[in-house]
Amino acid sequence: MRRTVFNEDHEAFRETLRAFIEAEVVPVYDEWFAAGQAPRDFYYKLGELGVFGINVPEEFGGAGLETHKFEAIQYEETARAGVSFGGSGVHVLLALPYIKMLATDEQKKRYLPKFVSGEEMWAIAMTEPGTGSDLAGMKSTARLSEDGTHYVLNGAKTFITGGVHADKVIVCARTAAPTAEDRRFGISLFAVDTKSEGYSVGRKLDKLGLKTSDTAELAFVDVKVPVEDLLGEENKGFYYLGANLPSERWGIAFGAYAQAKAAVRFAQQYVQERTVFGKPVAAFQNTKFELAACQAEVDAAEAVADRALEALDAGELTAAEAASAKLFCTEVAHRVIDRCLQLHGGYGYMNEYPIARLYADNRVNRIYGGTSEVMKMIIAKNMGL
């Protein structure tokens, strides 16, 4: 099907990015996989390439564009090559929207130039041990000092992607108790310097998939956070978090679609090269039917992902639409990648084949950013149910 979502500028960026991936990532990706993370200096290369600055205003060193289409191409090209850019995804997709939405001009001058260059990598810390998706139940606290110059941060976070390499972390913490009418009240957001005394990185978590993404536990013991690093207003953090959920869920949806598309590509190549009973696996009718069915599902997911992308760029993507896109695309990816792995036979279970890594990486898409069950609740509520 002919796509209309990308123009010549986007395709030129695709060519540049594809060449970069082939030169800088593919040759060393097995080393990253074994190490469980991408090297920190790789992020400087992404900064030099301009990946981090596309949506950053020009006065802070960025390109000044207001679009997610270049991010979409990054999803497609990394999936196509069977690689990832480590934990850097949260830097742009999750952290940047909060900086742009909440930071003062003074804060942007401090934060964004180093954000663009990769000199300071950002992560966001929401989830806590025992709370999961219930962000209103978080226990981390940030108390204003008596002299009013800083907050004292205490608590712990888990499942923090990019947490090992991060130089700045947007930490969600309670600055006031919840009210009887609203248990979400009292959460605030802070830009925390990871070099601060009392800040520590705990375990680098051993995940089923996303092996090159550094995911960690964080702990805060009397960490002093200057009042100048409060993002937005006190006690309104939960509502800020909700405002960015549609873009986060679009990113997961589009990434899942891109993985499904890549899986079909890997399977198609494999069955044409692999010979069984004296003929290519691709020659069997079952193979043709399986891949045809997978391609049809990918076509549908592409249409949903593209439609959500256009709505997001137009500022019109609703919470229910984002939930629907995430639910559909992640479920499609689950089915397609599983069937494409099956076509690889025993080799599909080996990590040296990208389909095996895709299978493991894909599983979290139906969990993070809100589980599939939460997405169904959002959609049902929007239907008046």
Side-chain angles (χ1 to χ4, degrees), residues 9-227:
D9 290 339
H10 300 127
E11 295 304 332
F13 174 75
R14 185 190 300 278
E15 291 181 13
T16 299
L17 188 63
R18 186 174 296 182
F20 174 84
I21 290 170
E22 289 297 323
E24 300 289 345
V25 183
V26 172
V28 294
Y29 194 70
D30 286 345
E31 298 174 19
W32 297 5
F33 190 85
Q37 61 187 37
R40 177 63 178 83
D41 61 3
F42 172 68
Y43 299 144
Y44 291 107
K45 295 181 181 180
L46 289 178
E48 292 172 5
L49 187 65
V51 168
F52 296 149
I54 292 171
N55 293 332
V56 172
E58 292 182 59
E59 60 263 39
F60 304 115
L65 303 179
E66 290 292 339
T67 177
H68 291 268
K69 292 183 179 180
F70 294 96
E71 291 172 49
I73 290 171
Q74 182 175 311
Y75 284 124
E76 290 185 334
E77 290 304 309
T78 51
R80 179 185 183 276
V83 302
S84 82
F85 286 166
S88 67
V90 298
H91 185 66
V92 173
L93 182 65
L94 298 188
L96 182 58
Y98 293 104
I99 299 173
K100 291 176 65 177
M101 177 175 68
L102 302 175
T104 64
D105 287 342
E106 184 276 331
Q107 288 174 323
K108 290 176 181 177
K109 289 176 183 177
R110 285 194 287 124
Y111 300 153
L112 288 176
K114 292 180 180 180
F115 180 102
V116 171
S117 67
E119 184 177 346
E120 287 187 348
M121 294 299 296
W122 288 64
I124 184 165
M126 293 185 280
T127 305
E128 296 185 357
T131 62
S133 298
D134 182 21
L135 294 180
M138 70 175 60
K139 304 298 183 183
S140 295
T141 61
R143 304 302 184 195
L144 188 63
S145 62
E146 291 185 4
D147 61 7
T149 61
H150 62 272
Y151 292 85
V152 180
L153 174 65
N154 284 281
K157 300 289 181 178
T158 193
F159 305 146
I160 309 307
T161 301
V164 175
H165 283 321
D167 302 288
K168 296 276 191 183
V169 177
I170 299 174
V171 178
C172 312
R174 283 209 163 273
T175 45
T179 66
E181 297 78 20
D182 188 359
R183 63 189 295 267
R184 297 171 296 184
F185 174 81
I187 295 171
S188 301
L189 307 185
F190 301 90
V192 179
D193 191 324
T194 62
K195 296 185 293 296
S196 301
E197 184 178 354
Y199 180 104
S200 62
V201 178
R203 291 186 303 149
K204 183 166 74 70
L205 300 174
D206 183 15
K207 307 184 298 297
L208 170 67
L210 300 178
K211 290 292 188 179
T212 62
S213 169
D214 54 307
T215 302
E217 296 174 330
L218 306 179
F220 322 110
V221 179
D222 293 335
V223 176
K224 293 182 179 179
V225 183
V227 292

Side-chain angles (χ1 to χ4, degrees), residues 309-322:
L309 172 56
E310 295 283 24
L312 181 63
D313 269 11
E316 299 172 353
L317 185 65
T318 68
E321 289 168 343

